[in-house]
Amino acid sequence: MIKKGEYKPHSQLPTEAEFCKTFGVSRTTVRTALQQLAVEGYVYKKQGKGTFVSDSKVTQVLTTTIYNFTDQLTNQGKRPNTKVLSLLVIESDEFLSELFSIHKGDPVNRLERIRYANDEPLQYMISYLPWRKTPGLNAKECEKSLYRLLESQFHLKIKKTNEILELSLADEDIAKKLEVKVGSPCFSLITYAYLSDGSLIEYSKTIFRGDKTNFVIEREY
C-alpha cells in the first residue's frame, strides 16, 4: 500500500489495533511487521504520536544509463548535492599500485565525498585515481560529476565500469557520516572504472544508506 501510494509520504499509519482488526492478525504480528518496515526505511516512529510513512527511497540504476547521480535524483523530484570531505595526494600501497599498474609509493589522488538528497546524507564515497593521469584535480569541481570532470579537464573518457554490490552494516565512522545508528543496514558498492585502452582510472567504494536507497537492474534482450 505504501509502494502503491495509498499511504503518502509523512502521512500517519493506522494504529496497531486498527491493523489487527483490518487484517485479522495479532498485535505481535503487526508490531513485528512495522518494526521490519522501519528497518527497511519505509516508516518512522514519533514518540507518543504513532507511525508515519517515510519519504520515497532514491532509486539508483546500476546498468547502462546516460544519467549520473544528479540527473537521476533530479528526475525523481529530489534535490541533489555533493560535498567534498577531503582531496589528498597519498603514496600508493601494494594494493593500489597493483590496481593502477604503477610503482609502490607513486602518488594517488584520494577523494572523499558525501552525496545528499534533499539535504539528507545518502552516500559516502571514497575514490582513488592515479595522480599521473589526474594531476591538479580540483576539490570544488569534484562536487559536480567526477566522470564529466575527467573528460573535460583531462580528456579521459570512461569506457566501462565493473561494480560489485554487497550488503554491509554501518560502523561508527560510516554511521557518523551518514547520520544513522551503528549497525544500520547499508549497501556497499565497489566500482572499477576503465578507459578505452583498458587501463583503470578509478577505484572507489560507495556506502549507501539502506533506508534511503533501492536499486534497479536493467537488462536488454
Side-chain angles (χ1 to χ4, degrees):
M1 293 170 77
I2 292 173
K3 287 183 175 180
K4 289 179 181 178
E6 294 180 35
Y7 291 130
K8 302 297 182 183
H10 306 297
S11 64
Q12 186 171 4
L13 290 178
T15 63
E16 291 181 3
E18 289 172 323
F19 274 134
C20 291
K21 184 177 180 181
T22 299
F23 296 110
V25 295
S26 69
R27 187 177 287 260
T28 300
T29 298
V30 170
R31 187 172 293 129
T32 301
L34 290 174
Q35 288 172 347
Q36 183 62 32
L37 286 175
V39 169
E40 294 177 9
Y42 288 102
V43 302
Y44 62 94
K45 294 188 176 184
K46 286 185 178 181
Q47 191 67 34
K49 293 185 178 180
T51 304
F52 296 79
V53 179
S54 299
D55 197 5
S56 58
K57 292 190 177 186
V58 173
T59 298
Q60 300 270 261
V61 180
L62 287 182
T63 44
T64 305
T65 174
I66 61 172
Y67 297 112
N68 60 20
F69 171 80
T70 299
D71 295 333
Q72 290 193 50
L73 262 69
T74 301
N75 289 342
Q76 295 173 54
K78 297 184 183 296
R79 187 175 66 259
N81 183 39
T82 301
K83 178 183 178 182
V84 172
L85 298 182
S86 68
L87 174 58
L88 304 172
V89 179
I90 63 170
E91 292 184 359
S92 61
D93 56 15
E94 191 170 335
F95 174 73
L96 292 174
S97 60
E98 186 175 340
L99 271 182
F100 294 122
S101 300
I102 57 179
H103 293 107
K104 184 178 179 181
D106 282 355
V108 171
N109 280 313
R110 179 183 182 275
L111 174 65
E112 275 189 289
R113 293 175 291 170
I114 293 182
R115 284 172 164 172
Y116 299 82
N118 294 344
D119 298 324
E120 283 190 300
L122 183 70
Q123 308 172 14
Y124 165 71
M125 302 180 65
I126 182 166
S127 302
Y128 299 90
L129 305 98
W131 183 87
R132 60 186 172 87
K133 290 187 177 181
T134 58
L137 199 61
N138 182 276
K140 189 66 179 177
E141 292 299 317
C142 290
E143 293 182 347
K144 305 172 187 176
S145 169
L146 178 60
Y147 289 177
R148 287 178 182 172
L149 176 62
L150 292 179
E151 186 174 359
S152 63
Q153 183 174 342
F154 303 104
H155 309 291
L156 300 171
K157 185 172 178 59
I158 306 298
K159 176 68 174 178
K160 73 168 185 177
T161 60
N162 290 339
E163 297 168 298
I164 302 168
L165 182 65
E166 297 178 332
L167 296 177
S168 65
L169 300 177
D171 58 20
E172 286 189 17
D173 182 56
I174 295 299
K176 184 177 180 180
K177 286 181 168 65
L178 294 182
E179 298 177 14
V180 296
K181 294 180 180 179
V182 173
S184 296
C186 297
F187 295 104
S188 173
L189 183 68
I190 303 260
T191 300
Y192 300 83
Y194 297 90
L195 302 175
S196 57
D197 63 2
S199 63
L200 184 71
I201 188 60
E202 183 209 23
Y203 167 78
S204 68
K205 183 174 183 179
T206 305
I207 306 296
F208 298 79
R209 282 180 57 166
D211 63 339
K212 296 291 182 183
T213 312
N214 61 24
F215 293 89
V216 171
I217 299 173
E218 293 179 345
R219 291 191 176 99
E220 293 186 6
Y221 294 91

